[in-house]
Amino acid sequence: MNMIDVRVAAVEQVTPLIKHFKFVKEDGSQLPPFSGGSHIVVAMDAEGRTYRNPYSLMGSPTDTDAYHISVRRQENSRGGSAYMHENVRVGMTLKITHPVNLFTLAKMAHKHVLIAGGIGITPFMSQIEDLNRIGADYELHYAFRSYKQAAFVEELQKACGNKLHCHSDSDGHRLDMEALLRSQPLGTHVYVCGPSPMVVAVLETAKNLGWPDSNVHNEQFLAPPVGETFKVQLAQSNIEVQVPAEMSMLEAIEAAGVQADYLCRGGVCGRCELSVLECDGGLEHNDHFLTESEKASCSKIMPCVSRTKGKRLVLDL
Amino acid sequence: MERGYWIKSKPVYTSLVWHEKATSHLVLAAGIGGMAALKLFQQMHPAQPVTVLYAKYAQMEVDYSATLKKIVPDNLHVFKFEEDLLTELKSIMPHMRMGLRIYVAGSEGFIWDVAKVVKPFGVENDHIMKELTDTLARSVYCVHCKAITRNVTTNIVQCCGCERMLFVRDHFSRNLGAYMGLMVDAESPGELPAIEEIYP
Ligand code: FES
């Protein structure tokens, strides 16, 4: 994948767990334009291995001087978010991918209801810029544990005014999903980004109230889970790769020097799909992309998040 | 008609069945479509609020309004003409909320007139359940003069706009609610294949 060289122009500790990074192009030129909801993948060279994590761009899409991302330090991070927090400093150079948008706003929507949980606020920060620019009807619901842990509330108040609704758990202001979705005018689209239980709650509530699937959008990049060690045989390249417990299959393939496609690295976009030629145990599908019947057929796998329960896998790559 | 040949643009109609998940239901029926509405209430009376708009005099002069009045619990509105129903539909749409499910039964013309009315309110036609009743008669859009000839029951029809003889194709435009009509005797004027009633 062709990557962009960027320099870290600023790092700011926003909350005890969240850091905000500003990237500029290393050669001082403009960065590629993007649309609200886009993400980039940041490659981090840590001792002996490369982490590649997806992060939403949260700056204004009209600003191509710099990109902004925010990283929450994950409690049981496999290394990526910890590396961003501990090792990335102003002046350092990093490689990033071109922006890709897997969380676009629906052009035909009459109204947009945006629901963010915690660090899930980031894709909405670029989307509200787009919505404000076109004068769209929207409301942003931002749920978090406490104001102390909530990032960017002031910026959001400035950008959204009374369209912003904060829901702080510690103040007992829980978001009533059912009431929110029940009262929306026809033609409304809902978007959710946040922790998995929240995403599931929105999807379920919308379904139970009879919302058409096409009006419900979510972004939920999964972190590759830790698993058992196994071997992958790459049939076309004719090499065998060992996948360690705390590495994803995709990372192991890349580390072996084989080019593999990806966009989200979180099991949602479908770009990394590979055909399984042989497998001696069951597959451990962790993605949100393949259908249940595809998963059951054991013929396809998303190497960015999925693994095998067996010892050896043969892939068509 | 060729066998095993599927034209994507040609709409597929089903029998009306209640959506289990909804916050409210809106049933729109015209003429024989009233029977489809009655069949819906045979399935069950949904827990959510239901509104029924029925136009008595569609192409075929049948009237299920008396029976509908007995069956539909409340919120039944009966109209004399489809146009009146569509006017009422337009005026109630702004009050509707997400979770509304729409069911339509009637002629193809009626179905797509309804689709056209609700679209500006953010309802896509895939989200409308449609049952074709009454007649297979088609609206035909003349690709030459853009006029739409209604109630066409034959394979070939004279355009109501430019008077060309049009061959009625299976290609359907959802925006126009009409099938494409192409001049049939362009090559050899006046030479027409047999005209047959195939959309009774
Ligand atoms: S890279 Fe998107 S699903 Fe694997």
Side-chain angles (χ1 to χ4, degrees):
Chain A
M1 224 180 247
N2 88 41
M3 307 283 279
I4 307 171
D5 292 306
V6 292
R7 194 167 47 77
V8 181
V11 180
E12 183 199 352
Q13 187 85 43
V14 188
T15 73
L17 286 177
I18 297 174
K19 271 191 176 180
H20 169 193
F21 300 86
K22 177 179 172 184
F23 300 148
V24 295
K25 216 110 155 242
E26 210 186 2
D27 60 10
S29 61
Q30 298 288 301
L31 287 155
F34 64 98
S35 52
S38 299
H39 76 272
I40 53 169
V41 171
V42 179
M44 298 159 244
D45 280 315
E47 310 94 55
R49 70 177 285 188
T50 307
Y51 296 105
R52 290 185 180 81
N53 284 10
Y55 296 109
S56 297
L57 289 177
M58 45 175 263
S60 164
T62 53
D63 173 14
T64 52
D65 289 340
Y67 283 169
H68 298 262
I69 63 165
S70 280
V71 179
R72 179 182 197 275
R73 196 188 170 117
Q74 300 309 125
E75 282 105 46
N76 30 30
S77 164
R78 298 172 320 125
S81 70
Y83 181 88
M84 288 298 291
H85 272 255
E86 282 160 24
N87 300 72
V88 175
R89 299 187 205 295
V90 174
M92 251 177 87
T93 57
L94 288 168
K95 283 190 189 307
I96 63 170
T97 60
H98 284 253
V100 170
N101 201 340
L102 298 173
F103 197 42
T104 48
L105 291 164
K107 290 206 175 58
M108 304 299 281
H110 290 209
K111 181 183 173 184
H112 309 262
V113 173
L114 318 175
I115 304 175
I119 191 69
I121 191 66
T122 53
F124 296 124
M125 297 196 61
S126 58
Q127 286 185 340
I128 55 173
E129 298 272 350
D130 283 343
L131 292 169
N132 282 338
R133 196 171 49 247
I134 59 174
D137 185 7
Y138 74 93
E139 47 190 84
L140 169 60
H141 293 265
Y142 184 14
F144 40 77
R145 292 212 187 108
S146 70
Y147 275 92
K148 197 170 147 256
Q149 290 176 46
F152 312 117
V153 172
E154 262 175 48
E155 284 96 316
L156 289 165
Q157 267 158 353
K158 241 178 259 150
C160 310
N162 59 10
K163 295 191 175 83
L164 174 70
H165 305 264
C166 288
H167 306 269
S168 164
D169 259 8
S170 63
D171 296 357
H173 289 146
R174 297 215 77 189
L175 172 56
D176 183 346
M177 220 70 92
E178 149 103 36
L180 176 66
L181 295 187
R182 195 177 264 284
S183 61
Q184 295 304 327
L186 278 180
T188 302
H189 283 241
V190 64
Y191 309 77
V192 57
C193 183
S196 172
M198 173 186 235
V199 174
V200 171
V202 171
L203 301 186
E204 292 279 295
T205 309
K207 188 175 222 89
N208 285 331
L209 292 174
W211 284 52
D213 289 347
S214 57
N215 290 46
V216 183
H217 314 263
N218 75 92
E219 178 153 87
Q220 196 189 7
F221 292 166
L222 308 159
V226 172
E228 298 293 321
T229 306
F230 60 95
K231 285 200 173 80
V232 200
Q233 177 83 35
L234 304 180
Q236 290 176 35
S237 328
N238 197 22
I239 56 169
E240 195 170 72
V241 179
Q242 171 98 9
V243 183
E246 75 297 345
M247 240 197 214
S248 74
M249 193 165 20
L250 180 61
E251 288 169 333
I253 292 170
E254 288 168 341
V258 177
Q259 276 272 350
D261 273 345
Y262 66 84
L263 286 180
C264 71
R265 303 182 79 89
V268 296
C269 73
R271 178 59 75 90
C272 66
E273 181 181 305
L274 291 175
S275 297
V276 178
L277 302 176
E278 268 173 56
C279 126
D280 67 355
L283 296 179
E284 201 182 294
H285 292 290
N286 297 311
D287 63 280
H288 285 332
F289 180 79
L290 294 174
T291 61
E292 287 311 316
S293 65
E294 283 173 321
K295 286 182 182 177
S297 78
C298 278
S299 61
K300 291 172 177 178
I301 194 161
M302 316 309 289
C304 62
V305 290
S306 299
R307 313 177 70 87
T308 174
K309 297 189 194 104
K311 290 269 167 280
R312 185 168 165 274
L313 203 60
V314 184
L315 297 177
D316 188 15
L317 178 71
Chain B
M1 251 167 274
E2 236 175 281
R3 285 183 180 222
Y5 183 58
W6 176 273
I7 293 177
K8 270 217 194 95
S9 66
K10 197 170 164 182
V12 176
Y13 304 101
T14 55
S15 297
L16 302 187
V17 183
W18 294 115
H19 283 283
E20 208 185 311
K21 316 267 189 208
T23 47
S24 62
H25 307 271
L26 176 58
V27 182
L28 308 155
I32 295 182
M35 179 57 100
L38 286 170
K39 280 195 265 175
L40 264 179
F41 285 95
Q42 287 287 305
Q43 291 163 22
M44 67 160 181
H45 287 245
Q48 305 85 1
V50 186
T51 304
V52 181
L53 307 188
Y54 178 60
K56 303 197 241 190
Y57 296 127
Q59 275 99 356
M60 292 185 200
E61 305 214 339
V62 278
D63 182 358
Y64 286 102
S65 59
T67 322
L68 280 165
K69 274 178 197 148
K70 287 183 203 126
I71 302 293
V72 179
D74 32 46
N75 272 329
L76 169 70
H77 306 272
V78 177
F79 304 88
K80 213 162 168 190
F81 299 107
E82 291 179 5
E83 296 82 76
D84 305 332
L85 183 155
L86 295 171
T87 310
E88 171 69 7
L89 176 61
K90 207 176 281 176
S91 73
I92 63 171
M93 282 309 284
H95 310 293
M96 299 297 170
R97 289 279 169 268
M98 286 301 287
L100 170 77
R101 297 290 199 169
I102 300 181
Y103 312 80
V104 194
S107 68
E108 197 158 39
F110 175 71
I111 291 172
W112 293 94
D113 281 346
V114 165
K116 211 182 286 176
V117 169
V118 300
K119 189 163 182 183
F121 297 95
V123 181
E124 294 300 321
N125 80 64
D126 314 359
H127 302 146
I128 304 172
M129 201 181 281
K130 316 173 192 79
E131 180 165 340
L132 181 61
T133 61
D134 289 45
T135 161
L136 298 180
R138 295 180 166 192
S139 289
V140 178
Y141 172 79
C142 173
V143 300
H144 311 285
C145 79
K146 300 184 168 38
I148 291 180
T149 309
R150 299 206 175 263
N151 297 323
V152 177
T153 58
T154 48
N155 56 340
I156 290 161
V157 70
Q158 183 162 40
C159 173
C160 66
C162 62
E163 299 186 348
R164 285 183 177 92
M165 295 307 285
L166 304 175
F167 175 69
V168 180
R169 302 196 52 186
D170 273 342
H171 289 272
F172 186 80
S173 156
R174 280 158 171 72
N175 284 332
L176 301 164
Y179 291 86
M180 299 294 121
L182 239 78
M183 189 173 174
V184 74
D185 55 348
E187 312 271 280
S188 39
E191 254 178 59
L192 292 177
I195 299 180
E196 286 157 333
E197 171 164 291
I198 55 170
Y199 309 115

